[in-house]
């Protein structure tokens, strides 16, 4: 028996412990070609090495990797993972099985079903269905496939050729995955109608009404409305109740992209912000974002039981035999677009089992409390300016204006300079390993920063103030010669 590699597993914990220690910097940034040169021997796989040399290469690779476990990693809508989730990942990977049939994942199948049942109740659609997926983009594919199949079941066998020209509606601030899904599924990107948002980033429902009427007047078939509960940048939550009324009026499938904001449902006080989500035909939520489940961990929920299987089943005889020795209804893989599928539910189960509804509620409330503190601090701090003072999800968007810019006339030239200062400031923060933070333009707004807060690690007020201090200090290093 080949035991090569088994002893290396004993080293892994120490490697991870060392390379994620508090004193290790967030990032030692190198440009691509420079990094390629530094790691040229380590990246080469043409000749095998012993365990000691392999360990050295792994440590060197981690040395130049981003340490997402840091308080100062604020770059994306995910962050450090829940330690119970990490434990679940280690176990899931070690057992290396697939979620498609009960026979190879008996207890993991029951866990997935139990997690889906619990989350369906949480979102107000008990009796529905669901599946774990790799991420929100795949969940969007599931939603569009289900909506189309519900209206035109013949699409599964005959394709799109004889179907009416369908249209899809989404806010201008929604996630780009809906554009990709429309392309992949043959709707075409021009079928996606963008609906204007208000100053807080929420879809203007009256504009949605008018857009649907226009498409009907053109002889098109409105099939899908994508509402967002937590937009990527501003964290905006659409008026879900009003959108549900529109969808009911026109008999259109309502999907809620709650990939980011779905975590609010964990809080007894905050879930009212998502009032109306219970009327959705489908919902997507990414626990690997705000609540810290290890990547990847996404859930697609569906109100109608059985539709997911009908729309996606291919009935492969070598995998989903109907004459098995157990109840084949527990073979859930044919609901999926994937064949092999990781047991992602187990790491979420580990977190939930350890913390319970009450524990997760407390952390969610704390995250919003810290976000509110950050919002107030930025509003009161000289040199900082909020893009929006409305806090819907734990997103805070703002500009930092260096001292030399503060007394100038805020004309087009001034804003053009701010547009360049923001990415330069991000560069300084990254190269100094003080903070990784996202920036973006949005509609008429020039480049600004987005701070998004997640469950882990648990931030306190002093952490927020240190983050703002880093932005301030690096911001005052920027001058016109740099940009």
């Amino acid at each position: 028996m080949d035991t090569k590699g088994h002893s290396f597993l004993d080293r892994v914990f120490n490697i991870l412990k060392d390379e994620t220690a508090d004193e290790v910097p967030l990032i030692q940034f190198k440009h691509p070609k420079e990094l390629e040169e530094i790691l040229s021997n380590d990246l080469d796989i043409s000749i095998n090495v012993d365990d000691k040399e392999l360990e050295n290469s792994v440590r060197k690779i981690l040395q130049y990797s981003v340490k997402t476990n840091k308080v100062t990693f604020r770059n994306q809508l995910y962050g450090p993972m829940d330690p119970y989730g990490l434990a679940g990942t280690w176990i899931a990977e070690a057992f290396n099985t697939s979620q498609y049939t009960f026979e190879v994942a008996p207890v993991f199948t029951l866990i997935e079903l139990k997690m889906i049942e619990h989350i369906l109740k949480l979102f107000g659609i008990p009796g529905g269905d669901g599946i774990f997926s790799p991420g929100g983009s795949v969940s969007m594919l599931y939603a569009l496939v289900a909506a189309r199949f519900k209206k035109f079941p013949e699409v599964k066998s005959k394709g799109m050729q004889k179907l009416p020209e369908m249209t899809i509606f989404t806010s201008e601030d929604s996630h780009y995955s809906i554009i990709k899904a429309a392309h992949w599924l043959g709707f075409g990107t021009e079928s996606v109608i963008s609906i204007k948002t208000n100053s807080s980033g929420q879809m203007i429902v009256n504009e949605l009404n008018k857009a649907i009427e226009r498409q009907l007047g053109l002889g098109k078939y409105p099939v899908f409305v994508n509402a967002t509960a937590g937009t990527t940048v501003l964290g905006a939550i659409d008026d879900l109740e009003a959108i549900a009324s529109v969808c009911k009026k026109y008999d259109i499938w309502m999907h809620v992209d709650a990939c980011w904001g779905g975590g609010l449902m964990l809080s007894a006080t905050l879930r009212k912000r998502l009032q109306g989500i219970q009327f959705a035909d489908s919902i997507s939520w990414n626990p690997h974002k705000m609540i810290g489940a290890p990547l990847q961990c996404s859930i697609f929920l569906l109100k109608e039981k059985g539709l997911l299987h009908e729309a996606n089943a291919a009935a492969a005889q070598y995998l989903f035999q109907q004459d098995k020795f157990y109840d084949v209804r527990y073979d859930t893989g044919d609901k999926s677009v994937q064949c092999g599928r990781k047991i992602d539910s187990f790491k979420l189960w580990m977190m939930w089992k350890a913390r319970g509804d009450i524990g997760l509620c407390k952390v969610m409330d704390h995250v919003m409390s810290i976000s509110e503190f950050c919002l107030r601090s930025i509003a009161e701090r000289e040199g900082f300016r909020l893009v929006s003072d409305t806090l819907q999800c734990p997103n805070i968007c703002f500009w930092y204006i260096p001292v030399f810019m503060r007394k100038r006339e805020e004309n087009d030239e001034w804003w053009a300079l701010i547009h360049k200062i923001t990415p330069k400031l991000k560069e300084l923060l990254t190269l100094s390993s003080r903070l990784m933070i996202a920036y973006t333009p949005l509609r008429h707004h020039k480049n600004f920063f987005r701070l998004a807060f997640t469950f882990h690690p648990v931030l306190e007020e002093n952490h927020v103030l240190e983050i703002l201090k880093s932005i301030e200090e690096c911001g005052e290093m920027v001058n016109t010669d740099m940009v």
Side-chain angles (χ1 to χ4, degrees):
M1 180 174 133
D2 183 6
T3 59
K4 181 174 171 58
H6 288 198
S7 62
F8 190 77
L9 295 175
D10 296 331
R11 302 173 183 244
V12 171
F13 185 80
N14 285 331
I15 293 172
L16 289 173
K17 188 177 178 181
D18 293 344
E19 300 304 325
T20 59
D22 289 344
E23 62 271 16
V24 175
L26 168 66
I27 176 72
Q28 294 184 48
F29 184 85
K30 303 292 179 184
H31 289 282
K33 287 295 181 185
E34 183 184 6
L35 187 58
E36 198 172 13
E37 189 174 332
I38 291 170
L39 296 175
S40 59
N41 292 331
D42 301 284
L43 297 178
D44 180 38
I45 56 171
S46 58
I47 301 173
N48 70 300
V49 296
D50 61 26
D51 282 3
K52 181 60 180 174
E53 192 173 344
L54 178 59
E55 179 180 340
N56 290 337
S57 288
V58 169
R59 287 182 180 275
K60 196 171 176 184
I61 286 165
L62 296 180
Q63 177 186 346
Y64 294 103
S65 296
V66 178
K67 312 306 186 295
T68 61
N69 64 304
K70 301 288 184 184
V71 167
T72 48
F73 179 75
R74 302 286 113 200
N75 210 59
Q76 258 72 45
L77 295 182
Y78 69 89
M81 67 184 92
D82 187 298
Y84 291 107
L86 175 58
T89 298
W90 286 344
I91 294 168
E93 293 296 328
F95 271 66
N96 194 40
T97 193
S98 183
Q99 193 76 67
Y100 41 49
T101 63
F102 179 83
E103 61 187 292
V104 296
V107 184
F108 296 127
T109 296
L110 297 181
I111 284 172
E112 182 178 47
L113 292 172
K114 179 59 71 173
M115 290 306 304
I116 289 168
E117 179 187 7
H118 192 79
I119 295 165
L120 282 166
K121 289 177 182 174
L122 183 71
F123 280 86
I125 49 173
D129 202 353
I131 196 164
F132 277 72
S133 82
S137 294
V138 175
S139 293
M140 184 64 75
L141 289 169
Y142 276 120
L144 276 167
V145 165
R148 184 177 61 183
F149 180 82
K150 178 69 176 176
K151 288 295 183 185
F152 305 105
E154 66 272 23
V155 69
K156 186 173 179 180
S157 57
K158 300 186 183 302
M160 297 274 280
Q161 297 91 329
K162 294 183 180 179
L163 299 185
E165 190 174 345
M166 289 172 272
T167 51
I168 298 161
F169 304 85
T170 194
S171 92
E172 61 181 332
D173 287 0
S174 66
H175 193 266
Y176 68 88
S177 59
I178 194 164
I179 299 291
K180 289 198 172 187
H183 157 53
W184 271 49
L185 296 175
F187 291 96
T189 58
E190 290 181 5
S191 70
V192 181
I193 311 301
S194 180
I195 309 299
K196 288 190 176 300
T197 56
N198 61 24
S199 59
S200 297
Q202 299 162 308
M203 184 192 294
I204 301 172
V205 180
N206 190 43
E207 292 294 324
L208 171 64
N209 246 311
K210 290 191 285 189
I212 292 170
E213 288 289 351
R214 278 195 298 271
Q215 294 301 306
L216 288 169
L218 293 170
K220 307 289 182 64
Y221 193 102
V223 73
F224 188 92
V225 172
N226 176 47
T228 308
T231 56
T232 304
V233 178
L234 296 179
I237 300 170
D238 290 336
D239 186 339
L240 303 180
E241 283 191 298
I243 292 171
S245 295
V246 172
C247 290
K248 184 177 181 181
K249 174 183 174 183
Y250 294 102
D251 192 23
I252 303 175
W253 185 282
M254 178 185 173
H255 176 70
V256 178
D257 175 355
C259 288
W260 172 238
L264 297 177
M265 294 299 293
L266 297 168
S267 167
T269 56
L270 296 171
R271 67 179 57 142
K272 62 178 178 289
R273 299 186 184 196
L274 271 62
Q275 180 59 32
I277 200 167
Q278 70 273 20
F279 302 125
D281 295 289
S282 58
I283 302 166
S284 51
W285 177 38
N286 287 0
H288 67 222
K289 287 186 173 177
M290 193 187 299
I291 78 166
L295 286 158
Q296 303 170 343
C297 187
S298 178
I299 302 166
F300 174 69
L301 303 173
L302 199 70
K303 181 174 284 186
E304 184 175 337
K305 187 83 170 176
L307 185 62
L308 196 58
H309 185 273
E310 277 189 82
N312 296 313
Q317 291 185 355
Y318 55 82
L319 192 58
F320 303 115
Q321 305 94 330
Q322 296 302 292
D323 55 357
K324 289 182 179 180
F325 60 93
Y326 59 85
D327 187 343
V328 295
R329 289 176 298 178
Y330 285 87
D331 285 352
T332 58
D334 225 6
K335 296 193 296 184
S336 171
V337 70
Q338 301 168 255
C339 181
R341 190 161 57 89
K342 284 183 173 290
I343 49 176
D344 291 326
S345 58
F346 183 68
K347 50 197 173 188
L348 185 60
W349 174 85
M350 284 276 287
M351 293 167 52
W352 220 301
K353 185 73 173 173
R355 301 187 185 280
D357 291 345
I358 293 172
L360 291 171
C361 173
K362 286 180 179 177
V363 183
M364 183 68 252
D365 287 341
H366 178 75
V367 167
M368 285 305 295
S369 175
I370 282 294
S371 303
E372 288 161 359
F373 171 78
C374 183
L375 189 78
R376 292 194 304 272
S377 299
I378 285 176
E380 296 165 359
R381 204 172 181 107
E382 192 174 1
F384 289 81
R385 184 181 301 179
L386 289 165
V387 176
S388 171
D389 60 3
T390 303
L391 189 66
Q392 300 172 69
C393 282
N395 304 44
I396 295 92
C397 297
F398 61 92
W399 293 277
Y400 180 74
I401 303 163
V403 170
F404 78 92
M405 292 288 290
R406 291 178 198 170
K407 292 184 179 178
R408 296 186 182 186
E409 181 188 353
E410 296 185 15
N411 53 23
D412 289 346
E413 184 181 347
W414 188 90
W415 278 109
L417 193 53
I418 289 291
H419 190 68
K420 294 177 181 178
I421 285 171
T422 303
K424 188 63 187 178
L425 177 47
K426 177 192 169 75
E427 180 186 343
L428 292 174
L429 288 162
T430 303
L431 293 179
S432 63
S433 194
R434 296 185 68 170
L435 178 67
M436 289 189 73
I437 183 173
Y439 75 89
T440 183
L442 183 71
R443 300 190 300 278
H444 63 282
H445 295 306
K446 299 298 184 182
N447 279 333
F448 57 85
F449 290 114
R450 181 204 64 199
L451 261 178
F453 293 98
T454 54
F455 279 30
H456 302 284
V458 177
L459 269 69
E460 303 298 343
E461 292 181 1
N462 63 297
H463 296 127
V464 172
L465 295 176
E466 280 297 317
I467 286 170
L468 299 185
K469 183 182 177 184
S470 294
I471 294 169
E472 218 166 32
E473 291 179 354
C474 287
E476 292 311 315
M477 297 178 189
V478 179
N479 58 58
T480 51
D481 292 335
M482 291 181 173
V483 294

